[in-house]
Amino acid sequence: WAKGAGRGGYVVFNPQMRSAAAERRQLEEDLWAALPGGQFRLVYQPVVDLGSERVMGFEALLRWDHPTLGVVLPERFLPVAEDIGLIPEIGRWVLAEACAAAAGWRRSHPGAGALSMAVNVSPSQLGSPGLIDDVRSALESSGLPAAALVLELTESVLVRDPLLAAERLHELRGLGVRVALDDFGTGYSSLSHLRQFAVDILKIDRSFVSTIDDAEAMPAILRGLINLGRTLDLEIVAEGIEQERQRSHLREGQVGLAQGYLFAAPLEHTDAELLLLGQAEAPAESP
Ligand code: C2E
Ligand code: MG
Ligand code: MG
Ligand code: MG
């Protein structure tokens, strides 16, 4: 069918398009039942110290256990949730769930007292007036100290509505939570944005980490991003580390923290807890 599509200046509504539209309708309908039906769950990817490889915190990542489709990933359903206005409710649930998990782990594992929890915040969530209350109540009901919570924003929100973003960041930091710029380097933010918006952490996108290869020491752009973060005195987290040579280059490049399949994929709640248990038994510093 593809050959015929668009020929003569029109696009034939083909079966594949119909099924894409039908799938989208199904996701829309089913999303309404997901939260009340308990179909969402969080998985937790360790954030490790590149020097000691100890787990310093986790990033909460959302999963939807769809009754017939199986596990649906956030990049597939969050845009749909966005369109039907479900982001605030879902975001509230994620915040409460993630804070409760982190508070529980900090209480029950001796070595996890300083553990942090990172939660992704979508652009529309940052725009919604309820966010501050949601954050405050997630902290209060879990007992998690504000400084242990990191909210991850992408650069696009800073560009879209700079005034609103600046105001929200100010309010959030007033609560004592930390703010990370996620996928850093892929958006439109620039030096001036970084100066204008008080953020605490830069998460360097996987696409830059993956430019590390055998031939080069450290690719120039990646080096530049790291230097930028260091100049502004920000904490740096490298995302998506999959290979040993990426780990060693970043460690030599003085990057403090990292996430990636090389260390651990996102883990179920109980597996994250097992990891913390194992770490508590290990010596504090690996030789
Ligand atoms: P992100 O915040 O940049 O999260 C990192 C993504 O990279 C996650 O995908 C994670 O599973 C994946 N990842 C981690 N390490 C590696 C690696 O070594 N290699 C590769 N190839 N991938 C790795 P995931 O869980 O599918 O989430 C995708 C995006 O969906 C997230 O990107 C975030 O923007 C969004 N998201 C996830 N959970 C939530 C949520 O609760 N709320 C909101 N608003 N957005 C969320
Ligand atoms: Mg993130
Ligand atoms: Mg990211
Ligand atoms: Mg991403």
Short mmCIF file of all heavy atoms in Angstrom, two decimals, residues 42-43 45 59-63 73-75 77-78 87 90-91 93-95 119-123 125 152 154 182-183 203 205-206 239-243 246 259-266, ligand 1:
data_model
loop_
_atom_site.label_atom_id
_atom_site.label_comp_id
_atom_site.label_asym_id
_atom_site.label_seq_id
_atom_site.Cartn_x
_atom_site.Cartn_y
_atom_site.Cartn_z
N LEU A 42 5.48 1.71 39.37
CA LEU A 42 6.77 2.37 39.15
C LEU A 42 7.88 1.34 39.18
O LEU A 42 7.85 0.39 39.95
CB LEU A 42 7.02 3.42 40.23
CG LEU A 42 6.09 4.64 40.24
CD1 LEU A 42 6.46 5.59 41.38
CD2 LEU A 42 6.14 5.37 38.89
N VAL A 43 8.86 1.56 38.30
CA VAL A 43 10.11 0.83 38.40
C VAL A 43 11.19 1.87 38.73
O VAL A 43 10.98 3.07 38.53
CB VAL A 43 10.45 0.06 37.11
CG1 VAL A 43 9.54 -1.15 36.96
CG2 VAL A 43 10.36 0.95 35.86
N GLN A 45 15.21 2.97 38.61
CA GLN A 45 16.56 2.75 38.08
C GLN A 45 17.59 3.39 39.01
O GLN A 45 17.52 4.59 39.32
CB GLN A 45 16.73 3.33 36.68
CG GLN A 45 18.10 2.94 36.12
CD GLN A 45 18.34 3.38 34.69
OE1 GLN A 45 17.89 4.45 34.28
NE2 GLN A 45 19.05 2.55 33.94
N GLU A 59 15.75 6.70 40.02
CA GLU A 59 14.78 7.45 39.24
C GLU A 59 13.55 6.59 39.07
O GLU A 59 13.64 5.43 38.65
CB GLU A 59 15.34 7.82 37.85
CG GLU A 59 14.29 8.56 36.99
CD GLU A 59 14.79 8.98 35.62
OE1 GLU A 59 15.93 8.65 35.24
OE2 GLU A 59 13.99 9.66 34.92
N ALA A 60 12.39 7.16 39.42
CA ALA A 60 11.12 6.44 39.27
C ALA A 60 10.65 6.54 37.82
O ALA A 60 10.62 7.63 37.25
CB ALA A 60 10.08 7.04 40.20
N LEU A 61 10.32 5.40 37.23
CA LEU A 61 9.85 5.38 35.84
C LEU A 61 8.53 4.63 35.79
O LEU A 61 8.37 3.55 36.37
CB LEU A 61 10.90 4.72 34.94
CG LEU A 61 12.23 5.49 34.85
CD1 LEU A 61 13.38 4.59 34.41
CD2 LEU A 61 12.08 6.70 33.91
N LEU A 62 7.58 5.21 35.08
CA LEU A 62 6.21 4.72 35.09
C LEU A 62 5.99 3.57 34.10
O LEU A 62 6.51 3.61 32.98
CB LEU A 62 5.29 5.90 34.75
CG LEU A 62 3.79 5.72 34.87
CD1 LEU A 62 3.36 5.29 36.26
CD2 LEU A 62 3.09 7.04 34.48
N ARG A 63 5.24 2.59 34.52
CA ARG A 63 4.84 1.48 33.66
C ARG A 63 3.35 1.27 33.77
O ARG A 63 2.76 1.41 34.85
CB ARG A 63 5.56 0.18 34.08
CG ARG A 63 7.08 0.23 33.96
CD ARG A 63 7.52 0.29 32.50
NE ARG A 63 8.97 0.35 32.34
CZ ARG A 63 9.66 1.47 32.17
NH1 ARG A 63 9.04 2.64 32.20
NH2 ARG A 63 10.96 1.43 31.97
N LEU A 73 4.87 1.32 27.61
CA LEU A 73 5.91 2.25 28.08
C LEU A 73 5.42 3.69 28.04
O LEU A 73 4.52 4.04 27.26
CB LEU A 73 7.16 2.09 27.21
CG LEU A 73 7.89 0.75 27.37
CD1 LEU A 73 9.03 0.62 26.36
CD2 LEU A 73 8.39 0.56 28.80
N PRO A 74 6.02 4.53 28.90
CA PRO A 74 5.53 5.92 29.03
C PRO A 74 5.53 6.72 27.73
O PRO A 74 4.65 7.55 27.53
CB PRO A 74 6.48 6.54 30.06
CG PRO A 74 7.59 5.58 30.25
CD PRO A 74 7.09 4.24 29.86
N GLU A 75 6.52 6.49 26.88
CA GLU A 75 6.55 7.29 25.65
C GLU A 75 5.37 6.98 24.73
O GLU A 75 5.03 7.77 23.86
CB GLU A 75 7.90 7.14 24.93
CG GLU A 75 8.91 8.10 25.56
CD GLU A 75 10.38 7.77 25.32
OE1 GLU A 75 10.68 6.69 24.77
OE2 GLU A 75 11.22 8.61 25.70
N PHE A 77 2.16 6.02 26.09
CA PHE A 77 0.86 6.41 26.65
C PHE A 77 0.83 7.81 27.25
O PHE A 77 -0.25 8.40 27.34
CB PHE A 77 0.34 5.37 27.65
CG PHE A 77 1.09 5.29 28.95
CD1 PHE A 77 0.84 6.19 29.97
CD2 PHE A 77 2.03 4.28 29.16
CE1 PHE A 77 1.52 6.11 31.18
CE2 PHE A 77 2.72 4.20 30.37
CZ PHE A 77 2.46 5.12 31.37
N LEU A 78 1.98 8.36 27.62
CA LEU A 78 1.93 9.69 28.23
C LEU A 78 1.43 10.78 27.27
O LEU A 78 0.66 11.65 27.69
CB LEU A 78 3.28 10.08 28.85
CG LEU A 78 3.60 9.40 30.19
CD1 LEU A 78 4.99 9.80 30.69
CD2 LEU A 78 2.54 9.71 31.25
N ILE A 87 -2.79 13.93 32.87
CA ILE A 87 -1.43 14.08 33.41
C ILE A 87 -1.41 14.53 34.88
O ILE A 87 -0.63 13.98 35.67
CB ILE A 87 -0.59 15.03 32.51
CG1 ILE A 87 -0.28 14.34 31.18
CG2 ILE A 87 0.70 15.47 33.21
CD1 ILE A 87 0.70 13.18 31.27
N ILE A 90 -2.19 11.47 37.09
CA ILE A 90 -1.13 10.46 37.02
C ILE A 90 0.11 10.98 37.73
O ILE A 90 0.75 10.27 38.51
CB ILE A 90 -0.82 10.09 35.55
CG1 ILE A 90 -2.03 9.40 34.91
CG2 ILE A 90 0.42 9.19 35.46
CD1 ILE A 90 -1.88 9.12 33.41
N GLY A 91 0.42 12.25 37.47
CA GLY A 91 1.60 12.85 38.09
C GLY A 91 1.52 12.85 39.61
O GLY A 91 2.51 12.62 40.31
N TRP A 93 -0.14 10.72 41.43
CA TRP A 93 0.06 9.34 41.89
C TRP A 93 1.54 8.98 41.88
O TRP A 93 2.07 8.39 42.83
CB TRP A 93 -0.74 8.37 41.00
CG TRP A 93 -0.57 6.94 41.43
CD1 TRP A 93 -1.28 6.30 42.40
CD2 TRP A 93 0.41 6.01 40.94
NE1 TRP A 93 -0.81 5.01 42.55
CE2 TRP A 93 0.22 4.81 41.67
CE3 TRP A 93 1.40 6.07 39.97
CZ2 TRP A 93 1.00 3.68 41.44
CZ3 TRP A 93 2.18 4.95 39.75
CH2 TRP A 93 1.98 3.77 40.47
N VAL A 94 2.24 9.34 40.83
CA VAL A 94 3.67 9.02 40.71
C VAL A 94 4.45 9.67 41.86
O VAL A 94 5.28 9.02 42.50
CB VAL A 94 4.24 9.48 39.34
CG1 VAL A 94 5.76 9.37 39.32
CG2 VAL A 94 3.63 8.66 38.20
N LEU A 95 4.15 10.93 42.12
CA LEU A 95 4.85 11.63 43.21
C LEU A 95 4.64 10.94 44.54
O LEU A 95 5.59 10.71 45.30
CB LEU A 95 4.36 13.08 43.30
CG LEU A 95 5.03 14.10 42.37
CD1 LEU A 95 4.20 15.39 42.34
CD2 LEU A 95 6.46 14.36 42.82
N VAL A 119 11.90 12.10 40.20
CA VAL A 119 10.59 11.92 39.59
C VAL A 119 10.50 12.82 38.35
O VAL A 119 10.85 14.00 38.41
CB VAL A 119 9.48 12.29 40.60
CG1 VAL A 119 8.11 12.30 39.93
CG2 VAL A 119 9.48 11.33 41.78
N ASN A 120 10.06 12.25 37.25
CA ASN A 120 9.89 13.03 36.02
C ASN A 120 8.62 13.86 36.08
O ASN A 120 7.56 13.36 36.46
CB ASN A 120 9.84 12.10 34.80
CG ASN A 120 11.17 11.41 34.56
OD1 ASN A 120 12.10 12.01 34.04
ND2 ASN A 120 11.26 10.14 34.97
N VAL A 121 8.75 15.11 35.68
CA VAL A 121 7.59 16.00 35.67
C VAL A 121 7.38 16.45 34.22
O VAL A 121 8.29 16.96 33.58
CB VAL A 121 7.85 17.22 36.58
CG1 VAL A 121 6.78 18.27 36.41
CG2 VAL A 121 7.93 16.77 38.04
N SER A 122 6.17 16.22 33.71
CA SER A 122 5.92 16.58 32.32
C SER A 122 5.64 18.08 32.21
O SER A 122 5.26 18.72 33.18
CB SER A 122 4.75 15.77 31.77
OG SER A 122 3.57 16.17 32.41
N PRO A 123 5.84 18.62 31.01
CA PRO A 123 5.66 20.07 30.82
C PRO A 123 4.30 20.58 31.30
O PRO A 123 4.24 21.61 31.98
CB PRO A 123 5.80 20.23 29.30
CG PRO A 123 6.70 19.10 28.89
CD PRO A 123 6.37 17.96 29.81
N GLN A 125 2.42 19.36 33.54
CA GLN A 125 2.37 19.27 35.01
C GLN A 125 3.02 20.50 35.64
O GLN A 125 2.52 21.03 36.63
CB GLN A 125 3.15 18.03 35.42
CG GLN A 125 2.55 17.19 36.50
CD GLN A 125 3.45 16.01 36.80
OE1 GLN A 125 4.12 15.47 35.90
NE2 GLN A 125 3.49 15.59 38.04
N GLU A 152 12.62 16.08 37.80
CA GLU A 152 13.30 16.15 36.50
C GLU A 152 12.42 16.83 35.46
O GLU A 152 11.31 16.39 35.19
CB GLU A 152 13.66 14.74 36.03
CG GLU A 152 14.62 14.03 36.98
CD GLU A 152 15.26 12.79 36.36
OE1 GLU A 152 14.90 12.42 35.21
OE2 GLU A 152 16.11 12.19 37.04
N THR A 154 12.41 18.72 31.47
CA THR A 154 13.19 18.84 30.23
C THR A 154 13.31 20.32 29.85
O THR A 154 12.53 21.15 30.28
CB THR A 154 12.55 18.05 29.07
OG1 THR A 154 11.19 18.44 28.96
CG2 THR A 154 12.62 16.56 29.34
N ASP A 182 16.61 17.27 32.59
CA ASP A 182 16.70 15.93 32.00
C ASP A 182 17.04 16.03 30.51
O ASP A 182 16.77 17.06 29.88
CB ASP A 182 15.31 15.27 32.15
CG ASP A 182 15.40 13.75 32.14
OD1 ASP A 182 16.46 13.20 31.83
OD2 ASP A 182 14.36 13.13 32.44
N ASP A 183 17.64 14.98 29.98
CA ASP A 183 17.96 14.90 28.54
C ASP A 183 18.77 16.11 28.11
O ASP A 183 18.60 16.61 26.99
CB ASP A 183 16.68 14.82 27.70
CG ASP A 183 15.78 13.67 28.11
OD1 ASP A 183 16.28 12.74 28.76
OD2 ASP A 183 14.58 13.71 27.79
N LYS A 203 21.32 16.35 33.73
CA LYS A 203 21.38 14.95 33.31
C LYS A 203 21.74 14.92 31.83
O LYS A 203 20.93 15.31 30.98
CB LYS A 203 20.03 14.25 33.54
CG LYS A 203 19.66 14.21 35.02
CD LYS A 203 18.53 13.26 35.28
CE LYS A 203 18.97 11.82 35.21
NZ LYS A 203 17.88 10.88 35.63
N ASP A 205 22.20 13.68 28.31
CA ASP A 205 21.41 12.70 27.56
C ASP A 205 22.27 11.55 27.02
O ASP A 205 23.43 11.73 26.65
CB ASP A 205 20.70 13.39 26.40
CG ASP A 205 19.65 12.49 25.78
OD1 ASP A 205 18.67 12.20 26.47
OD2 ASP A 205 19.84 12.04 24.62
N ARG A 206 21.62 10.40 26.96
CA ARG A 206 22.26 9.18 26.46
C ARG A 206 22.89 9.36 25.07
O ARG A 206 23.89 8.74 24.75
CB ARG A 206 21.22 8.06 26.43
CG ARG A 206 21.66 6.77 25.81
CD ARG A 206 20.71 5.64 26.20
NE ARG A 206 19.34 5.90 25.81
CZ ARG A 206 18.82 5.54 24.65
NH1 ARG A 206 19.55 4.90 23.78
NH2 ARG A 206 17.55 5.80 24.36
N GLU A 239 23.46 9.84 31.61
CA GLU A 239 22.37 8.90 31.38
C GLU A 239 22.75 7.83 30.36
O GLU A 239 23.47 8.10 29.40
CB GLU A 239 21.15 9.62 30.79
CG GLU A 239 20.48 10.63 31.65
CD GLU A 239 19.13 11.02 31.03
OE1 GLU A 239 19.12 11.87 30.14
OE2 GLU A 239 18.11 10.43 31.43
N GLY A 240 22.21 6.65 30.54
CA GLY A 240 22.28 5.62 29.51
C GLY A 240 23.65 5.03 29.29
O GLY A 240 24.06 4.77 28.16
N ILE A 241 24.38 4.79 30.37
CA ILE A 241 25.69 4.15 30.22
C ILE A 241 25.50 2.65 30.00
O ILE A 241 24.87 1.96 30.81
CB ILE A 241 26.57 4.39 31.47
CG1 ILE A 241 26.81 5.90 31.57
CG2 ILE A 241 27.88 3.63 31.40
CD1 ILE A 241 27.87 6.29 32.54
N GLU A 242 26.00 2.18 28.88
CA GLU A 242 25.81 0.78 28.52
C GLU A 242 27.13 0.03 28.44
O GLU A 242 27.15 -1.19 28.47
CB GLU A 242 25.08 0.68 27.17
CG GLU A 242 23.66 1.24 27.23
CD GLU A 242 22.93 1.18 25.89
OE1 GLU A 242 23.61 0.96 24.86
OE2 GLU A 242 21.70 1.36 25.89
N GLN A 243 28.21 0.76 28.25
CA GLN A 243 29.49 0.09 27.99
C GLN A 243 30.56 0.51 28.97
O GLN A 243 30.60 1.65 29.43
CB GLN A 243 29.94 0.38 26.56
CG GLN A 243 29.05 -0.29 25.54
CD GLN A 243 29.11 0.35 24.18
OE1 GLN A 243 29.89 1.29 23.97
NE2 GLN A 243 28.28 -0.13 23.28
N GLN A 246 32.52 3.65 28.28
CA GLN A 246 31.80 4.88 28.62
C GLN A 246 31.97 5.18 30.11
O GLN A 246 32.22 6.31 30.52
CB GLN A 246 30.31 4.74 28.27
CG GLN A 246 30.06 4.56 26.78
CD GLN A 246 28.64 4.12 26.45
OE1 GLN A 246 27.89 3.68 27.31
NE2 GLN A 246 28.28 4.23 25.18
N GLN A 259 23.63 6.66 35.37
CA GLN A 259 22.58 5.66 35.26
C GLN A 259 22.80 4.91 33.96
O GLN A 259 23.28 5.48 33.00
CB GLN A 259 21.20 6.32 35.16
CG GLN A 259 20.69 6.93 36.43
CD GLN A 259 19.38 7.67 36.18
OE1 GLN A 259 19.38 8.91 36.15
NE2 GLN A 259 18.28 6.96 36.00
N GLY A 260 22.39 3.68 33.90
CA GLY A 260 22.47 2.96 32.64
C GLY A 260 22.43 1.47 32.84
O GLY A 260 22.64 0.97 33.95
N TYR A 261 22.16 0.78 31.74
CA TYR A 261 22.03 -0.67 31.80
C TYR A 261 23.30 -1.34 32.28
O TYR A 261 23.25 -2.44 32.82
CB TYR A 261 21.65 -1.22 30.41
CG TYR A 261 20.30 -0.77 29.91
CD1 TYR A 261 19.96 -0.86 28.56
CD2 TYR A 261 19.33 -0.27 30.80
CE1 TYR A 261 18.73 -0.46 28.10
CE2 TYR A 261 18.09 0.13 30.33
CZ TYR A 261 17.79 0.04 28.98
OH TYR A 261 16.57 0.43 28.52
N LEU A 262 24.48 -0.69 32.09
CA LEU A 262 25.73 -1.27 32.58
C LEU A 262 25.66 -1.51 34.09
O LEU A 262 26.19 -2.49 34.59
CB LEU A 262 26.90 -0.34 32.25
CG LEU A 262 28.29 -0.84 32.68
CD1 LEU A 262 28.71 -2.07 31.88
CD2 LEU A 262 29.34 0.26 32.52
N PHE A 263 25.01 -0.62 34.79
CA PHE A 263 24.87 -0.76 36.25
C PHE A 263 23.59 -1.51 36.59
O PHE A 263 23.62 -2.49 37.31
CB PHE A 263 24.89 0.61 36.93
CG PHE A 263 26.06 1.44 36.53
CD1 PHE A 263 25.89 2.53 35.69
CD2 PHE A 263 27.34 1.11 36.95
CE1 PHE A 263 26.98 3.30 35.30
CE2 PHE A 263 28.43 1.86 36.57
CZ PHE A 263 28.25 2.96 35.73
N ALA A 264 22.49 -1.01 36.10
CA ALA A 264 21.20 -1.67 36.35
C ALA A 264 20.11 -1.07 35.47
O ALA A 264 20.10 0.13 35.22
CB ALA A 264 20.80 -1.52 37.82
N ALA A 265 19.24 -1.93 35.01
CA ALA A 265 18.02 -1.49 34.33
C ALA A 265 17.05 -0.99 35.41
O ALA A 265 17.30 -1.15 36.60
CB ALA A 265 17.42 -2.65 33.55
N PRO A 266 15.96 -0.37 35.02
CA PRO A 266 14.94 -0.05 36.01
C PRO A 266 14.46 -1.33 36.70
O PRO A 266 14.25 -2.34 36.05
CB PRO A 266 13.82 0.58 35.16
CG PRO A 266 14.52 1.11 33.94
CD PRO A 266 15.62 0.12 33.68
P1 C2E B 1 13.99 9.74 30.94
O1 C2E B 1 13.49 10.44 32.13
O2 C2E B 1 15.13 10.36 30.21
O3 C2E B 1 14.36 8.27 31.43
C1 C2E B 1 15.39 7.49 30.92
C2 C2E B 1 14.88 6.42 29.97
O4 C2E B 1 16.00 5.71 29.46
C3 C2E B 1 13.98 5.38 30.63
O5 C2E B 1 13.06 4.92 29.64
C4 C2E B 1 14.98 4.27 30.97
O6 C2E B 1 14.38 3.00 31.09
C5 C2E B 1 15.89 4.32 29.78
N1 C2E B 1 17.24 3.85 30.06
C6 C2E B 1 17.91 3.86 31.22
N2 C2E B 1 19.16 3.38 31.07
C7 C2E B 1 19.30 3.08 29.76
C8 C2E B 1 20.39 2.54 28.98
O7 C2E B 1 21.48 2.25 29.46
N3 C2E B 1 20.15 2.38 27.65
C9 C2E B 1 18.95 2.70 27.08
N4 C2E B 1 18.81 2.48 25.78
N5 C2E B 1 17.91 3.20 27.78
C10 C2E B 1 18.09 3.39 29.11
P2 C2E B 1 11.50 4.78 29.97
O8 C2E B 1 11.29 4.20 31.34
O9 C2E B 1 10.87 4.10 28.81
O10 C2E B 1 11.00 6.28 30.03
C11 C2E B 1 11.05 7.10 28.90
C12 C2E B 1 10.71 8.53 29.23
O11 C2E B 1 9.34 8.63 29.67
C13 C2E B 1 11.54 9.10 30.37
O12 C2E B 1 12.80 9.53 29.89
C14 C2E B 1 10.65 10.23 30.84
O13 C2E B 1 10.84 11.36 30.02
C15 C2E B 1 9.26 9.68 30.59
N6 C2E B 1 8.70 9.17 31.87
C16 C2E B 1 8.91 7.99 32.49
N7 C2E B 1 8.22 7.91 33.64
C17 C2E B 1 7.55 9.09 33.77
C18 C2E B 1 6.66 9.65 34.76
O14 C2E B 1 6.36 9.05 35.81
N8 C2E B 1 6.17 10.89 34.51
C19 C2E B 1 6.51 11.61 33.40
N9 C2E B 1 5.99 12.83 33.22
N10 C2E B 1 7.34 11.13 32.46
C20 C2E B 1 7.85 9.89 32.64
#
